[in-house]
């Protein structure tokens, strides 16, 4: 079925009737059209969301994610994460590679930002001479993910013709390994395990590839309890999945920061 323009008024009419308590249409054919209406709305909102992310329109992104969350087709987003509520042959919706489309968390690209305006919105003040690739790979069976930021000097006619050399990125790769523990059908606890930083331009050899571990989780649990919080419900770091399907995911962290990601096929 192709959703051409003449079809739209019909779909809108069906959607209105479906939400009306006075509707007397009770046939099977009528109910068969409801999933079509929902899928059309979901598809339209997703396209608008991707465009809003490209435009870095934070208010619109937040609004679209809220609308999509009502249409989330995945009943248990954390299914299969570290074996949560799953059988051995069930695939986790979170599993696989993801790339970042938008976030209002300023530290997501902090290493690549210019120091002239550190309060700029996502992506606005990334140095023009630096190419930034951010992403995430989730291994649901292990209950772990790796977040990465890759920086490289962008080659451009402007930079090559300049009399002064462009500043080098502070590093080549930053990779952070995080333990993911499902707390509910939608909430995931995050425990930072280790970080690895690589920089081929480092002046000393042992600074070219550095790995360090984060404090163990009981340290953060103790701090949470001292603040009167229950880390089994509201740990130091977590996110709630607002929307996830086969190619788009949106989640909000415990700090209220929004992330929109696209599956990196």
């Amino acid at each position: 079925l192709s959703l051409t323009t003449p079809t739209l008024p019909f779909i809108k009419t069906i959607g209105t009737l479906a939400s009306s308590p006075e509707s007397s249409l009770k046939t099977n054919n009528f109910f068969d059209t409801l999933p079509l209406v929902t899928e059309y709305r979901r598809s339209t909102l997703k396209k608008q969301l991707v465009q809003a992310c490209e435009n870095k329109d934070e208010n619109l992104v937040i609004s679209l994610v809220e609308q999509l969350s009502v249409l989330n087709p995945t009943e248990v987003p954390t299914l299969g994460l570290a074996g949560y509520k799953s059988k051995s042959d069930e695939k986790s919706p979170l599993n696989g590679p993801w790339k970042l489309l938008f976030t209002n968390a300023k530290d997501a690209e902090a290493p690549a930002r210019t120091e002239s305006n550190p309060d700029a919105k996502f992506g606005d003040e990334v140095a023009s001479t630096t190419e930034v690739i951010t992403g995430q790979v989730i291994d649901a069976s292990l209950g772990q993910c790796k977040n990465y930021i890759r920086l490289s000097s962008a080659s451009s006619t402007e930079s090559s013709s300049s009399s002064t050399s462009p500043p080098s990125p502070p590093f080549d790769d930053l990779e952070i390994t995080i333990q993911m523990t499902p707390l509910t059908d939608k909430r995931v606890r995050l425990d930072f395990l280790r970080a690895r930083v690589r920089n081929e331009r480092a002046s000393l050899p042992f600074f070219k590839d550095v790995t360090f571990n984060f404090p163990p989780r009981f340290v953060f649990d103790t701090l949470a309890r001292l603040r009167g919080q229950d880390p089994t419900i509201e740990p130091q770091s977590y996110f709630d999945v607002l929307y996830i399907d086969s190619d788009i995911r949106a989640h909000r962290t415990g700090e209220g920061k929004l992330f929109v990601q696209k599956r990196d096929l």
Side-chain angles (χ1 to χ4, degrees):
L1 176 63
S2 175
L3 297 179
T4 56
T5 302
T7 315
L8 301 185
F10 171 75
I11 293 179
K12 291 179 180 178
T13 301
I14 292 295
T16 302
L17 289 171
S19 61
S20 172
E22 291 80 20
S23 175
S24 58
L25 297 177
K26 303 296 183 181
T27 65
N28 290 333
N29 288 338
F30 168 71
F31 285 107
D32 287 343
T33 63
L34 293 182
L36 179 63
V37 176
T38 300
E39 183 57 36
Y40 173 74
R41 287 188 58 208
R42 186 185 295 126
S43 177
T44 301
L45 289 171
K46 284 171 59 177
K47 291 177 182 178
Q48 293 174 351
L49 177 62
V50 171
Q51 186 61 53
C53 290
E54 292 178 357
N55 296 336
K56 305 179 181 66
D57 189 334
E58 181 175 346
N59 291 333
L60 182 56
V61 168
I62 293 173
S63 174
L64 290 169
V65 168
E66 289 177 350
Q67 294 177 65
L68 272 171
S69 65
V70 181
L71 303 175
N72 186 11
T74 307
E75 185 176 352
V76 184
T78 58
L79 179 72
L81 181 63
Y84 183 80
K85 286 188 176 181
S86 71
K87 301 177 182 178
S88 58
D89 59 341
E90 287 183 300
K91 186 177 180 181
S92 171
L94 288 166
N95 189 69
W98 299 86
K99 62 180 179 181
L100 185 64
L101 294 182
F102 173 88
T103 181
N104 53 7
K106 294 184 176 66
D107 58 351
E109 283 190 344
R113 294 185 182 279
T114 60
E115 295 182 359
S116 60
N117 189 4
D119 294 325
K121 290 184 179 180
F122 172 71
D124 290 348
E125 291 294 326
V126 173
S128 60
T129 57
T130 300
E131 291 181 350
V132 182
I133 299 176
T134 62
Q136 179 185 78
V137 180
I138 296 177
D139 187 331
S141 62
L142 292 177
Q144 289 186 2
C145 74
K146 289 186 177 180
N147 291 349
Y148 61 84
I149 300 178
R150 296 170 184 161
L151 308 181
S152 60
S153 297
S155 58
S156 64
T157 305
E158 182 179 351
S159 61
S160 61
S161 62
S162 175
S163 58
T164 59
S165 300
S168 299
F171 57 84
D172 298 320
D173 299 279
L174 170 62
E175 186 177 272
I176 300 177
T177 303
I178 303 171
Q179 186 70 40
M180 305 176 70
T181 305
L183 299 180
T184 68
D185 290 353
K186 296 183 178 181
R187 178 164 294 184
V188 178
R189 170 179 176 145
L190 303 174
D191 291 289
F192 292 77
L193 300 179
R194 57 189 170 273
R196 182 182 183 187
V197 184
R198 286 175 287 186
N199 183 10
E200 288 299 322
R201 296 172 301 281
S203 56
L204 298 175
F206 53 83
F207 283 142
K208 291 187 176 183
D209 193 338
V210 178
T211 299
F212 59 90
N213 295 323
F214 290 94
R217 62 186 293 172
F218 78 83
V219 173
F220 299 105
D221 287 354
T222 300
L223 293 174
R225 290 189 174 96
L226 290 174
R227 292 194 297 267
Q229 296 176 325
D230 183 352
T232 63
I233 299 175
E234 191 175 0
Q236 181 80 7
S237 299
Y238 68 90
F239 67 76
D240 292 321
V241 181
L242 304 176
Y243 181 90
I244 185 169
D245 61 17
S246 59
D247 63 336
I248 291 290
R249 167 179 141 216
H251 70 255
R252 180 175 287 116
T253 69
E255 298 173 337
K257 302 303 181 182
L258 185 67
F259 285 76
V260 179
Q261 293 167 302
K262 183 177 178 62
R263 196 174 292 279
D264 195 2
L265 301 177

